[in-house]
Amino acid sequence: MGVLNVTPDSFSDGGRFRAAAGSGGVDLAQVVDVALEMIAAGADVLDVGGESTRPGAEPVSALEECRRVIPVIERLRQLDIMVSVDTRKAEVARQAVAAGAHLVNDVSGVRDDGMLAVLAACDAGLCIMHMQGEPGTMQDNPRYRDVVAEVRAFLAQQVVRCRAAGIGADRLLLDPGFGFGKTLAHNLALLRDLEAVRVDGLPLLAGLSRKRMIGAITGRATGDRVVGSAVAALLAVQHGADVVRVHDVPATADALKMQAALAGQPAP
Ligand code: HH2
């Protein structure tokens, strides 16, 4: 899964697609160029985000988020690209699915009943992610008694909720939410024990790309975490991830090709 943030303020790629001053919105032609590069490099799906969830990010209205993501989703669908929408808002998810999004990636883990209703009324996939607290304050001293057990329990509870609302298991993807209300020690515990987070055999998504934990380990700034991120993606796959959400698709694809070759498997 390639990350395509059309935000002014995402932690590592914000402002990348800003249109010329005065025209407002995002530069679609530039988004398409990057999208096609990611697909050519091996991404199967692109995750379009219109709101940054980095700690302390400014909240965005549903109207503004739609203004950012809907034209991008429509354009990617014209190009026959599989699209995910990274949103916590039911209204944005509803419009994104209507525009052709295949998957809703909700970093708040479907806590909102409105989001559940939107998903129940369509047949898009759903990624349920764990986050402790809210983006603004989630990194203020996050605490767990047993991070792996607590993350798994939350995901299991949300799977039951989604299934009860009529969302089939074949539409679900689960994510422990690296960096979302977690210290470095919590993130490492989750990565080490990723398989233990799995619920009902459902596929797992891992998003470690360029995150603060990689900076903490390597001492490198966000723009210089390509190697750390590719290795993290590889480790996540080795520990059970079925999908990795990444900014640097070529480096990640190379890492996964090396592993596949060693295992005698076809290249991913
Ligand atoms: N991480 C980010 C955003 N969305 N979705 C899932 N399922 N898993 C993740 O780990 C995840 C996610 C944060 O990264 P990014 O999109 O690069 O930054 P920002 O939130 O600042 O836009």
Side-chain angles (χ1 to χ4, degrees), residues 184 188 212-220:
L184 174 60
L188 289 173
R212 194 184 296 188
M213 69 178 283
I214 293 171
I217 295 166
T218 62
R220 296 194 184 274

Short mmCIF file of all heavy atoms in Angstrom, two decimals, residues 184 188 212-220:
data_model
loop_
_atom_site.label_atom_id
_atom_site.label_comp_id
_atom_site.label_asym_id
_atom_site.label_seq_id
_atom_site.Cartn_x
_atom_site.Cartn_y
_atom_site.Cartn_z
N LEU A 184 8.10 4.00 22.06
CA LEU A 184 8.99 3.13 21.28
C LEU A 184 8.90 1.68 21.80
O LEU A 184 8.82 0.73 21.01
CB LEU A 184 10.43 3.64 21.36
CG LEU A 184 11.49 2.76 20.70
CD1 LEU A 184 11.22 2.58 19.21
CD2 LEU A 184 12.90 3.36 20.90
N LEU A 188 7.77 -1.55 19.61
CA LEU A 188 8.65 -2.72 19.41
C LEU A 188 7.97 -4.00 19.91
O LEU A 188 8.10 -5.05 19.28
CB LEU A 188 9.98 -2.50 20.13
CG LEU A 188 10.89 -1.44 19.47
CD1 LEU A 188 12.11 -1.16 20.33
CD2 LEU A 188 11.32 -1.88 18.07
N ARG A 212 8.32 8.04 13.77
CA ARG A 212 9.23 8.51 14.81
C ARG A 212 10.04 7.37 15.42
O ARG A 212 11.19 7.55 15.79
CB ARG A 212 8.39 9.19 15.89
CG ARG A 212 9.20 10.01 16.86
CD ARG A 212 8.34 10.57 17.96
NE ARG A 212 7.36 11.53 17.46
CZ ARG A 212 6.58 12.27 18.24
NH1 ARG A 212 6.65 12.15 19.54
NH2 ARG A 212 5.73 13.12 17.72
N MET A 213 9.45 6.18 15.51
CA MET A 213 10.20 5.07 16.10
C MET A 213 11.45 4.75 15.27
O MET A 213 12.49 4.37 15.81
CB MET A 213 9.34 3.81 16.28
CG MET A 213 8.92 3.12 15.00
SD MET A 213 7.95 1.61 15.28
CE MET A 213 9.19 0.41 15.75
N ILE A 214 11.34 4.95 13.95
CA ILE A 214 12.50 4.69 13.09
C ILE A 214 13.55 5.77 13.31
O ILE A 214 14.75 5.49 13.38
CB ILE A 214 12.05 4.56 11.62
CG1 ILE A 214 11.19 3.30 11.50
CG2 ILE A 214 13.24 4.52 10.67
CD1 ILE A 214 10.49 3.13 10.20
N GLY A 215 13.08 7.00 13.51
CA GLY A 215 14.00 8.09 13.84
C GLY A 215 14.68 7.86 15.18
O GLY A 215 15.88 8.10 15.33
N ALA A 216 13.91 7.35 16.14
CA ALA A 216 14.48 7.11 17.48
C ALA A 216 15.56 6.03 17.42
O ALA A 216 16.56 6.10 18.12
CB ALA A 216 13.36 6.70 18.44
N ILE A 217 15.35 5.04 16.57
CA ILE A 217 16.30 3.93 16.50
C ILE A 217 17.53 4.30 15.65
O ILE A 217 18.67 4.00 16.03
CB ILE A 217 15.61 2.67 15.92
CG1 ILE A 217 14.52 2.19 16.89
CG2 ILE A 217 16.62 1.55 15.65
CD1 ILE A 217 13.56 1.17 16.30
N THR A 218 17.29 4.97 14.52
CA THR A 218 18.39 5.23 13.59
C THR A 218 19.03 6.61 13.79
O THR A 218 20.11 6.88 13.26
CB THR A 218 17.90 5.16 12.12
OG1 THR A 218 16.90 6.18 11.93
CG2 THR A 218 17.31 3.81 11.78
N GLY A 219 18.34 7.49 14.49
CA GLY A 219 18.84 8.86 14.67
C GLY A 219 18.68 9.70 13.41
O GLY A 219 19.34 10.73 13.28
N ARG A 220 17.81 9.28 12.49
CA ARG A 220 17.69 10.00 11.21
C ARG A 220 16.40 10.82 11.13
O ARG A 220 15.38 10.44 11.70
CB ARG A 220 17.72 9.01 10.05
CG ARG A 220 19.04 8.29 9.97
CD ARG A 220 19.22 7.60 8.67
NE ARG A 220 20.45 6.85 8.67
CZ ARG A 220 21.64 7.37 8.35
NH1 ARG A 220 21.74 8.63 8.00
NH2 ARG A 220 22.72 6.62 8.39
#
